Amino acid sequence: MTGESARSGTAIANLRRICEQDLAGAYDLEIIDVLEFPELAEDAKILATPTLIKSLPPPLRRVIGDLSDKEKVLLGLQVQPKPGATGTDEVKK
Amino acid sequence: MTATETQQAVEKIPTGISSFDIIAKGGLPRNRTTLISGTAGSGKTIFAVQFLAAGIAAGVPGVFVTFEESAEDIRKNMLSFGWDLTKWEKEGKLAFVDASPDPSVETVEAGAFDLGALLARVQNAVRKVKAERVAVDSLGAVFSQFSDQSIVRSELFRIASALKSMGVTAVLTAERVDDYGHIARFGVEEFIADNVMILRNVLEDENRRRTIEILKFRGCDHQKGEYPFTIVPDSGVIVIPLSAMQLSMKSSNVRISSGNSSLDEMCGGGLFRDSVTLVSGATGTGKTLTVAQFLHGGARDGERCLLLAFEESRDQLFRNATGWGFDFEQMENDGLLRVVCDYPDVSGLEDWLVTIQATINDFKPQRVALDSLSALEHVGSSKAFREFVIGLTSFIKHQEITGLFTSTTGSLMGGDSITESHISTLTDSIILLRYVEMFGEMKRGLTVLKMRGSWHDKAIREFTIGKGGMNMGRPFGNVTGILSGTPVHVSPSDLERAWSRLEGDIADRRRPIEPPQSD
């Protein structure tokens, strides 16, 4: 995310909705403001904002944009849109 | 401070890149972004890194943003130029923003995005090392990382203007498809175009020729046109400024000996201290002898002499010199002679110029002889050759060194060479050596064709070669047509007739001209 921008807000809202609807709440989300922590963006080699990184379960996946295209988000994350999915999805943003 | 004083002209910062500051008339405009466009392999990345390296050498920290090669690759590649990026990073003088693509991570675009994270990283790096210089390499690679090009375009514009507001001087590289065509791919010059520079790497007659051109510097002056440059290990980009060098040459009235007293007399008392003399003649007329005399004369007067030999091996040269009575070995042991012997083809003309300049700076000779220019003629295109000669003559004149170059004429009798027609205007004096056929015998003739700023003997004199060098004899009084290669012997009575006719001509010309009758 970059600060309190409108696009950041849209992305967070979109992501929460996808997670609640399709991952049945089985997720762990961390939101990072790159303006505040540019070193983290440097370490993860992130260029675009917003960027969604799925670190667990492997493989590592990235989705950029405001996440308005739900199909693409699910495709990019390679997670099954199955209600009541088990396991923990930790999502860093 | 008055209002007019606050409106200053664009200030420039010296880049520290060899001779680039001359063609840029001071350096890159401060606090602006400069686009460096070039085809693949034209030296963009090297220029960008060198811009930072030169800054760091002058105590100015820098940030390198890479979109193409990984930071690790750049650190490794730049070691060959003697730039230890890792060391500078540890010392806090340099920071990388590694934005090179990572093939192991798959990225999907889902909706609108911006490059805010990249901007935050650049700003952070600039803050961290207190950078005043930023290099971005290369813009085209950003476009290939994202599918939405309009976003990339507007985001790059945002980053470029952010760089300006950060108060840094930046260079941004961009690819182009042709050496002569659109400025850059993706039309980046349309939005980041305060200043545009173009690097070219053109194939000419099977030789690569690198040139640099400053296309525009908004609001300030620069040299126009393409300037050749070369990339050398240990130093990086070296620009060869041609016109800029010639302007500030001094002129000396001090005469030095050519190593042969008769030749000195013919030249009106010797060669000028900072002059360049061209010795032209067919093979075997005594060019290398003239060179050897010149070097021997220098060493005799305690001057350091540099010989650049492209035709004969060192052993051959030393043996021939001994035959003429010159002890090159002794001169070398005394530290008065250095001989550089090599095949002309081992490097390009730009590289030769840089090598020769480095040798001159190292040895600091008072005399430089080059035998022969003709051997170098075919190393590059005729344009590159001309630039080489201009570069070399202006360099040695600048250092107040006396130069003696030889050139071989193609035909045995008379004629001129391509070399001559190229460079005769650049040299101060021309000495011609010619074969003269006389009654079944080949004789050698010498004439001083041109001697800038001095009286000189106009006669074509016969000379013989023996111990001690040239023995100058009498002028060829009764032979005409030596220079054109068709010597004709004239009988004394014919000669007298010719003279009287000539005198009549002169008398005719001295008669006052009648004013034209007005109607």
Side-chain angles (χ1 to χ4, degrees), chain A residues 15-73:
Chain A
L15 182 61
R16 285 201 198 281
R17 196 170 57 244
I18 293 167
C19 290
E20 290 302 333
Q21 287 176 1
D22 300 295
L23 302 174
Y27 67 96
D28 191 358
L29 180 66
E30 189 183 351
I31 297 168
I32 296 165
D33 185 350
V34 292
L35 296 184
E36 225 174 303
F37 304 102
E39 295 290 346
L40 291 175
E42 187 63 49
D43 294 343
K45 293 179 74 179
I46 292 167
L47 300 186
T49 38
T51 294
L52 169 65
I53 301 177
K54 185 204 74 169
S55 30
L56 282 172
L60 200 70
R61 286 271 166 182
R62 284 183 186 191
V63 180
I64 60 173
D66 61 12
L67 311 180
S68 51
D69 189 334
K70 184 179 135 183
E71 293 304 312
K72 273 198 176 165
V73 176

Tab-separated table of all heavy atoms in Angstrom, chain A residues 15-73:
chain	number	residue	atom	x	y	z
A	15	LEU	N	-9.953	-7.212	-1.287
A	15	LEU	CA	-9.281	-8.411	-0.792
A	15	LEU	C	-10.052	-9.029	0.370
A	15	LEU	O	-10.257	-10.238	0.422
A	15	LEU	CB	-7.848	-8.072	-0.355
A	15	LEU	CG	-7.029	-9.258	0.142
A	15	LEU	CD1	-6.870	-10.297	-0.958
A	15	LEU	CD2	-5.666	-8.803	0.630
A	16	ARG	N	-10.498	-8.171	1.284
A	16	ARG	CA	-11.235	-8.694	2.438
A	16	ARG	C	-12.504	-9.422	1.979
A	16	ARG	O	-12.842	-10.486	2.502
A	16	ARG	CB	-11.623	-7.542	3.377
A	16	ARG	CG	-10.435	-7.032	4.189
A	16	ARG	CD	-10.923	-6.283	5.434
A	16	ARG	NE	-9.905	-5.430	6.017
A	16	ARG	CZ	-8.911	-5.881	6.789
A	16	ARG	NH1	-8.815	-7.172	7.057
A	16	ARG	NH2	-8.035	-5.047	7.292
A	17	ARG	N	-13.143	-8.851	0.956
A	17	ARG	CA	-14.377	-9.466	0.470
A	17	ARG	C	-14.086	-10.842	-0.145
A	17	ARG	O	-14.752	-11.831	0.143
A	17	ARG	CB	-15.045	-8.550	-0.563
A	17	ARG	CG	-16.487	-8.913	-0.816
A	17	ARG	CD	-17.212	-7.866	-1.643
A	17	ARG	NE	-16.562	-7.622	-2.918
A	17	ARG	CZ	-16.019	-6.460	-3.256
A	17	ARG	NH1	-16.048	-5.435	-2.413
A	17	ARG	NH2	-15.447	-6.313	-4.425
A	18	ILE	N	-12.990	-10.889	-0.953
A	18	ILE	CA	-12.634	-12.166	-1.578
A	18	ILE	C	-12.303	-13.196	-0.506
A	18	ILE	O	-12.723	-14.352	-0.554
A	18	ILE	CB	-11.438	-11.992	-2.542
A	18	ILE	CG1	-11.855	-11.138	-3.748
A	18	ILE	CG2	-10.903	-13.340	-3.019
A	18	ILE	CD1	-10.691	-10.654	-4.591
A	19	CYS	N	-11.545	-12.767	0.498
A	19	CYS	CA	-11.112	-13.688	1.546
A	19	CYS	C	-12.309	-14.221	2.339
A	19	CYS	O	-12.398	-15.415	2.632
A	19	CYS	CB	-10.145	-12.996	2.501
A	19	CYS	SG	-8.552	-12.667	1.745
A	20	GLU	N	-13.239	-13.318	2.651
A	20	GLU	CA	-14.407	-13.744	3.429
A	20	GLU	C	-15.289	-14.677	2.605
A	20	GLU	O	-15.713	-15.729	3.070
A	20	GLU	CB	-15.220	-12.522	3.877
A	20	GLU	CG	-14.551	-11.654	4.929
A	20	GLU	CD	-14.213	-12.417	6.208
A	20	GLU	OE1	-14.901	-13.413	6.521
A	20	GLU	OE2	-13.236	-12.023	6.893
A	21	GLN	N	-15.502	-14.291	1.324
A	21	GLN	CA	-16.441	-15.056	0.501
A	21	GLN	C	-15.867	-16.378	0.036
A	21	GLN	O	-16.520	-17.407	0.079
A	21	GLN	CB	-16.851	-14.220	-0.723
A	21	GLN	CG	-17.787	-13.074	-0.374
A	21	GLN	CD	-18.086	-12.211	-1.575
A	21	GLN	OE1	-17.608	-12.495	-2.673
A	21	GLN	NE2	-18.867	-11.164	-1.361
A	22	ASP	N	-14.613	-16.342	-0.423
A	22	ASP	CA	-14.081	-17.523	-1.095
A	22	ASP	C	-13.114	-18.349	-0.267
A	22	ASP	O	-12.853	-19.501	-0.586
A	22	ASP	CB	-13.397	-17.101	-2.402
A	22	ASP	CG	-14.375	-16.416	-3.326
A	22	ASP	OD1	-15.312	-17.092	-3.772
A	22	ASP	OD2	-14.214	-15.192	-3.575
A	23	LEU	N	-12.546	-17.707	0.751
A	23	LEU	CA	-11.612	-18.480	1.564
A	23	LEU	C	-12.194	-18.764	2.950
A	23	LEU	O	-11.503	-19.261	3.828
A	23	LEU	CB	-10.273	-17.740	1.699
A	23	LEU	CG	-9.566	-17.425	0.375
A	23	LEU	CD1	-8.351	-16.574	0.637
A	23	LEU	CD2	-9.188	-18.700	-0.361
A	24	ALA	N	-13.454	-18.393	3.107
A	24	ALA	CA	-14.198	-18.662	4.339
A	24	ALA	C	-13.438	-18.213	5.585
A	24	ALA	O	-13.396	-18.896	6.591
A	24	ALA	CB	-14.527	-20.158	4.437
A	25	GLY	N	-12.799	-17.078	5.459
A	25	GLY	CA	-12.135	-16.501	6.635
A	25	GLY	C	-10.856	-17.178	7.035
A	25	GLY	O	-10.230	-16.802	8.024
A	26	ALA	N	-10.421	-18.197	6.260
A	26	ALA	CA	-9.200	-18.910	6.629
A	26	ALA	C	-7.987	-18.198	6.047
A	26	ALA	O	-7.370	-18.664	5.102
A	26	ALA	CB	-9.266	-20.361	6.144
A	27	TYR	N	-7.683	-17.063	6.601
A	27	TYR	CA	-6.550	-16.297	6.067
A	27	TYR	C	-5.950	-15.433	7.168
A	27	TYR	O	-6.544	-15.193	8.191
A	27	TYR	CB	-6.992	-15.420	4.903
A	27	TYR	CG	-7.925	-14.299	5.291
A	27	TYR	CD1	-7.404	-13.009	5.539
A	27	TYR	CD2	-9.299	-14.495	5.420
A	27	TYR	CE1	-8.255	-11.990	5.903
A	27	TYR	CE2	-10.137	-13.479	5.786
A	27	TYR	CZ	-9.616	-12.221	6.023
A	27	TYR	OH	-10.450	-11.207	6.393
A	28	ASP	N	-4.714	-15.014	6.881
A	28	ASP	CA	-3.998	-14.133	7.795
A	28	ASP	C	-3.435	-13.004	6.954
A	28	ASP	O	-2.629	-13.225	6.053
A	28	ASP	CB	-2.864	-14.933	8.461
A	28	ASP	CG	-2.250	-14.166	9.613
A	28	ASP	OD1	-2.690	-13.017	9.855
A	28	ASP	OD2	-1.327	-14.697	10.240
A	29	LEU	N	-3.877	-11.794	7.192
A	29	LEU	CA	-3.538	-10.680	6.318
A	29	LEU	C	-2.684	-9.646	7.045
A	29	LEU	O	-2.992	-9.238	8.154
A	29	LEU	CB	-4.838	-10.044	5.812
A	29	LEU	CG	-4.727	-8.841	4.881
A	29	LEU	CD1	-4.107	-9.236	3.555
A	29	LEU	CD2	-6.111	-8.234	4.668
A	30	GLU	N	-1.582	-9.252	6.386
A	30	GLU	CA	-0.732	-8.202	6.958
A	30	GLU	C	-0.644	-7.057	5.954
A	30	GLU	O	-0.328	-7.276	4.791
A	30	GLU	CB	0.662	-8.764	7.236
A	30	GLU	CG	1.526	-7.803	8.031
A	30	GLU	CD	2.943	-8.338	8.238
A	30	GLU	OE1	3.198	-9.514	7.911
A	30	GLU	OE2	3.795	-7.571	8.698
A	31	ILE	N	-0.935	-5.858	6.393
A	31	ILE	CA	-0.902	-4.701	5.491
A	31	ILE	C	0.325	-3.851	5.810
A	31	ILE	O	0.552	-3.493	6.960
A	31	ILE	CB	-2.195	-3.862	5.617
A	31	ILE	CG1	-3.389	-4.727	5.182
A	31	ILE	CG2	-2.114	-2.594	4.782
A	31	ILE	CD1	-4.737	-4.132	5.532
A	32	ILE	N	1.121	-3.577	4.762
A	32	ILE	CA	2.356	-2.797	4.951
A	32	ILE	C	2.295	-1.537	4.096
A	32	ILE	O	2.022	-1.600	2.890
A	32	ILE	CB	3.594	-3.630	4.561
A	32	ILE	CG1	3.737	-4.835	5.498
A	32	ILE	CG2	4.867	-2.770	4.623
A	32	ILE	CD1	4.682	-5.886	4.986
A	33	ASP	N	2.562	-0.400	4.731
A	33	ASP	CA	2.623	0.864	3.996
A	33	ASP	C	4.076	1.096	3.572
A	33	ASP	O	4.960	1.292	4.404
A	33	ASP	CB	2.135	1.999	4.905
A	33	ASP	CG	2.070	3.320	4.156
A	33	ASP	OD1	2.572	3.385	3.016
A	33	ASP	OD2	1.512	4.290	4.718
A	34	VAL	N	4.313	1.054	2.235
A	34	VAL	CA	5.699	1.177	1.760
A	34	VAL	C	6.276	2.575	1.972
A	34	VAL	O	7.488	2.753	1.992
A	34	VAL	CB	5.841	0.782	0.266
A	34	VAL	CG1	5.604	-0.690	0.083
A	34	VAL	CG2	4.951	1.619	-0.620
A	35	LEU	N	5.392	3.559	2.137
A	35	LEU	CA	5.917	4.897	2.421
A	35	LEU	C	6.537	4.925	3.815
A	35	LEU	O	7.500	5.632	4.068
A	35	LEU	CB	4.806	5.946	2.322
A	35	LEU	CG	4.177	6.115	0.944
A	35	LEU	CD1	3.167	7.259	0.964
A	35	LEU	CD2	5.224	6.356	-0.125
A	36	GLU	N	5.989	4.090	4.678
A	36	GLU	CA	6.493	4.026	6.046
A	36	GLU	C	7.648	3.029	6.164
A	36	GLU	O	8.596	3.247	6.898
A	36	GLU	CB	5.345	3.612	6.975
A	36	GLU	CG	5.269	4.433	8.233
A	36	GLU	CD	4.010	4.065	9.021
A	36	GLU	OE1	2.898	4.170	8.458
A	36	GLU	OE2	4.170	3.637	10.170
A	37	PHE	N	7.553	1.939	5.427
A	37	PHE	CA	8.595	0.896	5.484
A	37	PHE	C	9.172	0.590	4.088
A	37	PHE	O	8.973	-0.499	3.557
A	37	PHE	CB	8.037	-0.403	6.086
A	37	PHE	CG	7.435	-0.222	7.444
A	37	PHE	CD1	6.061	-0.153	7.606
A	37	PHE	CD2	8.251	-0.137	8.581
A	37	PHE	CE1	5.503	0.013	8.857
A	37	PHE	CE2	7.699	0.032	9.836
A	37	PHE	CZ	6.313	0.111	9.987
A	38	PRO	N	9.876	1.563	3.515
A	38	PRO	CA	10.408	1.323	2.159
A	38	PRO	C	11.428	0.169	2.118
A	38	PRO	O	11.581	-0.479	1.089
A	38	PRO	CB	11.070	2.652	1.790
A	38	PRO	CG	11.259	3.384	3.060
A	38	PRO	CD	10.207	2.905	3.999
A	39	GLU	N	12.097	-0.075	3.247
A	39	GLU	CA	13.089	-1.156	3.290
A	39	GLU	C	12.434	-2.519	3.028
A	39	GLU	O	13.037	-3.392	2.408
A	39	GLU	CB	13.808	-1.188	4.642
A	39	GLU	CG	14.664	0.033	4.928
A	39	GLU	CD	15.914	0.110	4.056
A	39	GLU	OE1	16.254	-0.913	3.413
A	39	GLU	OE2	16.534	1.190	4.003
A	40	LEU	N	11.198	-2.681	3.508
A	40	LEU	CA	10.492	-3.951	3.291
A	40	LEU	C	10.181	-4.135	1.804
A	40	LEU	O	10.301	-5.236	1.265
A	40	LEU	CB	9.204	-3.996	4.114
A	40	LEU	CG	9.401	-4.092	5.639
A	40	LEU	CD1	8.060	-4.007	6.352
A	40	LEU	CD2	10.117	-5.382	6.010
A	41	ALA	N	9.806	-3.018	1.161
A	41	ALA	CA	9.551	-3.073	-0.281
A	41	ALA	C	10.842	-3.394	-1.023
A	41	ALA	O	10.854	-4.142	-2.002
A	41	ALA	CB	8.991	-1.732	-0.758
A	42	GLU	N	11.957	-2.831	-0.543
A	42	GLU	CA	13.262	-3.074	-1.142
A	42	GLU	C	13.604	-4.561	-1.043
A	42	GLU	O	13.998	-5.186	-2.020
A	42	GLU	CB	14.306	-2.214	-0.414
A	42	GLU	CG	15.691	-2.222	-1.031
A	42	GLU	CD	15.717	-1.647	-2.431
A	42	GLU	OE1	15.179	-0.566	-2.638
A	42	GLU	OE2	16.288	-2.314	-3.324
A	43	ASP	N	13.439	-5.129	0.159
A	43	ASP	CA	13.785	-6.537	0.375
A	43	ASP	C	12.940	-7.461	-0.495
A	43	ASP	O	13.423	-8.444	-1.034
A	43	ASP	CB	13.612	-6.913	1.854
A	43	ASP	CG	14.601	-6.170	2.738
A	43	ASP	OD1	15.597	-5.649	2.187
A	43	ASP	OD2	14.367	-6.084	3.955
A	44	ALA	N	11.656	-7.136	-0.622
A	44	ALA	CA	10.766	-7.990	-1.394
A	44	ALA	C	10.783	-7.626	-2.881
A	44	ALA	O	10.094	-8.264	-3.681
A	44	ALA	CB	9.348	-7.871	-0.849
A	45	LYS	N	11.575	-6.619	-3.250
A	45	LYS	CA	11.694	-6.147	-4.638
A	45	LYS	C	10.333	-5.822	-5.260
A	45	LYS	O	10.004	-6.308	-6.335
A	45	LYS	CB	12.441	-7.180	-5.490
A	45	LYS	CG	13.908	-7.331	-5.094
A	45	LYS	CD	14.615	-8.366	-5.931
A	45	LYS	CE	14.883	-7.854	-7.324
A	45	LYS	NZ	15.596	-8.829	-8.152
A	46	ILE	N	9.593	-5.002	-4.563
A	46	ILE	CA	8.259	-4.629	-5.055
A	46	ILE	C	8.342	-3.308	-5.804
A	46	ILE	O	9.023	-2.377	-5.378
A	46	ILE	CB	7.273	-4.513	-3.863
A	46	ILE	CG1	7.056	-5.903	-3.270
A	46	ILE	CG2	5.951	-3.918	-4.300
A	46	ILE	CD1	6.377	-5.884	-1.952
A	47	LEU	N	7.688	-3.255	-6.942
A	47	LEU	CA	7.664	-2.030	-7.745
A	47	LEU	C	6.305	-1.360	-7.670
A	47	LEU	O	6.189	-0.162	-7.500
A	47	LEU	CB	7.943	-2.343	-9.223
A	47	LEU	CG	9.239	-3.002	-9.622
A	47	LEU	CD1	9.327	-3.054	-11.139
A	47	LEU	CD2	10.403	-2.212	-9.073
A	48	ALA	N	5.254	-2.187	-7.855
A	48	ALA	CA	3.916	-1.636	-8.040
A	48	ALA	C	3.148	-1.628	-6.720
A	48	ALA	O	3.392	-2.434	-5.837
A	48	ALA	CB	3.166	-2.463	-9.080
A	49	THR	N	2.256	-0.688	-6.606
A	49	THR	CA	1.324	-0.680	-5.484
A	49	THR	C	-0.076	-0.541	-6.052
A	49	THR	O	-0.278	0.177	-7.024
A	49	THR	CB	1.621	0.500	-4.529
A	49	THR	OG1	1.991	1.631	-5.302
A	49	THR	CG2	2.697	0.162	-3.539
A	50	PRO	N	-1.062	-1.228	-5.472
A	50	PRO	CA	-0.899	-2.211	-4.399
A	50	PRO	C	-0.360	-3.549	-4.956
A	50	PRO	O	-0.662	-3.909	-6.074
A	50	PRO	CB	-2.317	-2.400	-3.870
A	50	PRO	CG	-3.182	-1.432	-4.620
A	50	PRO	CD	-2.450	-1.004	-5.824
A	51	THR	N	0.441	-4.253	-4.123
A	51	THR	CA	0.877	-5.597	-4.469
A	51	THR	C	0.426	-6.556	-3.378
A	51	THR	O	0.595	-6.278	-2.191
A	51	THR	CB	2.413	-5.661	-4.602
A	51	THR	OG1	2.827	-4.878	-5.706
A	51	THR	CG2	2.891	-7.096	-4.829
A	52	LEU	N	-0.156	-7.643	-3.830
A	52	LEU	CA	-0.576	-8.681	-2.892
A	52	LEU	C	0.388	-9.848	-3.037
A	52	LEU	O	0.626	-10.335	-4.133
A	52	LEU	CB	-2.006	-9.114	-3.241
A	52	LEU	CG	-2.560	-10.376	-2.551
A	52	LEU	CD1	-2.692	-10.164	-1.047
A	52	LEU	CD2	-3.917	-10.740	-3.165
A	53	ILE	N	0.995	-10.253	-1.910
A	53	ILE	CA	1.925	-11.387	-1.964
A	53	ILE	C	1.322	-12.546	-1.180
A	53	ILE	O	0.943	-12.389	-0.020
A	53	ILE	CB	3.291	-11.026	-1.331
A	53	ILE	CG1	3.922	-9.840	-2.068
A	53	ILE	CG2	4.229	-12.229	-1.371
A	53	ILE	CD1	5.216	-9.378	-1.480
A	54	LYS	N	1.243	-13.688	-1.817
A	54	LYS	CA	0.810	-14.887	-1.093
A	54	LYS	C	2.062	-15.683	-0.759
A	54	LYS	O	2.719	-16.218	-1.643
A	54	LYS	CB	-0.131	-15.726	-1.969
A	54	LYS	CG	-0.704	-16.901	-1.215
A	54	LYS	CD	-1.127	-18.031	-2.122
A	54	LYS	CE	0.055	-18.778	-2.669
A	54	LYS	NZ	-0.292	-20.041	-3.345
A	55	SER	N	2.436	-15.701	0.516
A	55	SER	CA	3.664	-16.423	0.874
A	55	SER	C	3.377	-17.862	1.299
A	55	SER	O	4.224	-18.732	1.122
A	55	SER	CB	4.443	-15.669	1.943
A	55	SER	OG	3.588	-14.935	2.767
A	56	LEU	N	2.220	-18.130	1.847
A	56	LEU	CA	1.880	-19.499	2.260
A	56	LEU	C	0.458	-19.832	1.835
A	56	LEU	O	-0.415	-18.976	1.956
A	56	LEU	CB	1.986	-19.647	3.795
A	56	LEU	CG	3.408	-19.808	4.357
A	56	LEU	CD1	3.360	-19.741	5.872
A	56	LEU	CD2	4.073	-21.077	3.878
A	57	PRO	N	0.139	-21.022	1.411
A	57	PRO	CA	1.099	-22.097	1.145
A	57	PRO	C	1.888	-21.820	-0.137
A	57	PRO	O	1.424	-21.047	-0.966
A	57	PRO	CB	0.182	-23.319	0.973
A	57	PRO	CG	-1.104	-22.752	0.456
A	57	PRO	CD	-1.248	-21.423	1.109
A	58	PRO	N	3.073	-22.464	-0.322
A	58	PRO	CA	3.841	-22.257	-1.550
A	58	PRO	C	3.004	-22.694	-2.755
A	58	PRO	O	2.106	-23.538	-2.587
A	58	PRO	CB	5.067	-23.146	-1.380
A	58	PRO	CG	5.001	-23.710	0.002
A	58	PRO	CD	3.658	-23.461	0.563
A	59	PRO	N	3.269	-22.268	-3.957
A	59	PRO	CA	4.366	-21.347	-4.322
A	59	PRO	C	4.054	-19.883	-4.034
A	59	PRO	O	2.877	-19.519	-3.914
A	59	PRO	CB	4.469	-21.579	-5.836
A	59	PRO	CG	3.065	-21.900	-6.260
A	59	PRO	CD	2.464	-22.666	-5.121
A	60	LEU	N	5.148	-19.091	-3.985
A	60	LEU	CA	5.025	-17.660	-3.779
A	60	LEU	C	4.321	-17.047	-4.993
A	60	LEU	O	4.644	-17.354	-6.121
A	60	LEU	CB	6.450	-17.074	-3.667
A	60	LEU	CG	6.596	-15.719	-3.014
A	60	LEU	CD1	6.323	-15.801	-1.519
A	60	LEU	CD2	7.997	-15.171	-3.252
A	61	ARG	N	3.315	-16.204	-4.689
A	61	ARG	CA	2.560	-15.601	-5.804
A	61	ARG	C	2.381	-14.115	-5.569
A	61	ARG	O	2.306	-13.679	-4.422
A	61	ARG	CB	1.171	-16.251	-5.883
A	61	ARG	CG	1.221	-17.643	-6.429
A	61	ARG	CD	1.101	-17.570	-7.912
A	61	ARG	NE	1.464	-18.835	-8.509
A	61	ARG	CZ	1.474	-19.014	-9.830
A	61	ARG	NH1	1.139	-18.033	-10.634
A	61	ARG	NH2	1.822	-20.166	-10.331
A	62	ARG	N	2.305	-13.387	-6.668
A	62	ARG	CA	2.064	-11.948	-6.531
A	62	ARG	C	0.920	-11.513	-7.426
A	62	ARG	O	0.816	-11.959	-8.560
A	62	ARG	CB	3.296	-11.153	-6.950
A	62	ARG	CG	4.386	-11.180	-5.920
A	62	ARG	CD	5.516	-10.322	-6.394
A	62	ARG	NE	6.615	-10.452	-5.472
A	62	ARG	CZ	7.672	-9.675	-5.489
A	62	ARG	NH1	7.755	-8.717	-6.384
A	62	ARG	NH2	8.642	-9.844	-4.628
A	63	VAL	N	0.099	-10.644	-6.894
A	63	VAL	CA	-0.956	-10.039	-7.695
A	63	VAL	C	-0.850	-8.536	-7.499
A	63	VAL	O	-0.779	-8.064	-6.353
A	63	VAL	CB	-2.356	-10.531	-7.247
A	63	VAL	CG1	-3.439	-9.891	-8.108
A	63	VAL	CG2	-2.446	-12.055	-7.330
A	64	ILE	N	-0.804	-7.794	-8.605
A	64	ILE	CA	-0.752	-6.345	-8.451
A	64	ILE	C	-2.045	-5.723	-8.950
A	64	ILE	O	-2.774	-6.324	-9.731
A	64	ILE	CB	0.460	-5.730	-9.190
A	64	ILE	CG1	0.405	-6.028	-10.687
A	64	ILE	CG2	1.766	-6.233	-8.601
A	64	ILE	CD1	1.473	-5.305	-11.475
A	65	GLY	N	-2.316	-4.517	-8.462
A	65	GLY	CA	-3.518	-3.816	-8.871
A	65	GLY	C	-4.503	-3.682	-7.703
A	65	GLY	O	-4.228	-4.138	-6.583
A	66	ASP	N	-5.648	-3.080	-7.979
A	66	ASP	CA	-6.623	-2.829	-6.891
A	66	ASP	C	-7.519	-4.042	-6.632
A	66	ASP	O	-8.486	-3.950	-5.899
A	66	ASP	CB	-7.439	-1.569	-7.184
A	66	ASP	CG	-8.242	-1.693	-8.482
A	66	ASP	OD1	-8.332	-2.828	-9.020
A	66	ASP	OD2	-8.754	-0.674	-8.968
A	67	LEU	N	-7.196	-5.182	-7.258
A	67	LEU	CA	-7.862	-6.468	-7.021
A	67	LEU	C	-9.347	-6.430	-7.379
A	67	LEU	O	-10.158	-7.152	-6.798
A	67	LEU	CB	-7.681	-6.911	-5.560
A	67	LEU	CG	-6.233	-6.858	-5.034
A	67	LEU	CD1	-6.188	-7.312	-3.578
A	67	LEU	CD2	-5.296	-7.718	-5.873
A	68	SER	N	-9.700	-5.548	-8.342
A	68	SER	CA	-11.106	-5.431	-8.730
A	68	SER	C	-11.553	-6.623	-9.579
A	68	SER	O	-12.736	-6.919	-9.662
A	68	SER	CB	-11.326	-4.118	-9.478
A	68	SER	OG	-10.374	-4.010	-10.520
A	69	ASP	N	-10.590	-7.313	-10.204
A	69	ASP	CA	-10.919	-8.481	-11.022
A	69	ASP	C	-10.751	-9.742	-10.181
A	69	ASP	O	-9.664	-10.289	-10.043
A	69	ASP	CB	-9.998	-8.507	-12.249
A	69	ASP	CG	-10.426	-9.556	-13.263
A	69	ASP	OD1	-11.075	-10.552	-12.854
A	69	ASP	OD2	-10.095	-9.386	-14.455
A	70	LYS	N	-11.873	-10.192	-9.609
A	70	LYS	CA	-11.823	-11.295	-8.640
A	70	LYS	C	-11.295	-12.589	-9.254
A	70	LYS	O	-10.483	-13.298	-8.646
A	70	LYS	CB	-13.234	-11.532	-8.081
A	70	LYS	CG	-13.284	-12.588	-7.005
A	70	LYS	CD	-14.687	-12.730	-6.500
A	70	LYS	CE	-15.039	-14.204	-6.382
A	70	LYS	NZ	-16.440	-14.380	-5.950
A	71	GLU	N	-11.714	-12.880	-10.487
A	71	GLU	CA	-11.259	-14.111	-11.160
A	71	GLU	C	-9.743	-14.137	-11.255
A	71	GLU	O	-9.107	-15.141	-10.973
A	71	GLU	CB	-11.864	-14.195	-12.571
A	71	GLU	CG	-13.366	-14.382	-12.583
A	71	GLU	CD	-13.787	-15.605	-11.781
A	71	GLU	OE1	-13.175	-16.672	-11.997
A	71	GLU	OE2	-14.678	-15.467	-10.927
A	72	LYS	N	-9.184	-12.984	-11.653
A	72	LYS	CA	-7.735	-12.902	-11.824
A	72	LYS	C	-7.013	-13.027	-10.492
A	72	LYS	O	-5.929	-13.610	-10.417
A	72	LYS	CB	-7.353	-11.576	-12.499
A	72	LYS	CG	-7.384	-11.653	-14.007
A	72	LYS	CD	-6.607	-10.511	-14.596
A	72	LYS	CE	-6.556	-10.645	-16.112
A	72	LYS	NZ	-6.124	-9.394	-16.727
A	73	VAL	N	-7.615	-12.483	-9.460
A	73	VAL	CA	-6.992	-12.564	-8.131
A	73	VAL	C	-6.891	-14.030	-7.720
A	73	VAL	O	-5.822	-14.512	-7.323
A	73	VAL	CB	-7.793	-11.763	-7.086
A	73	VAL	CG1	-7.187	-11.954	-5.701
A	73	VAL	CG2	-7.817	-10.287	-7.449
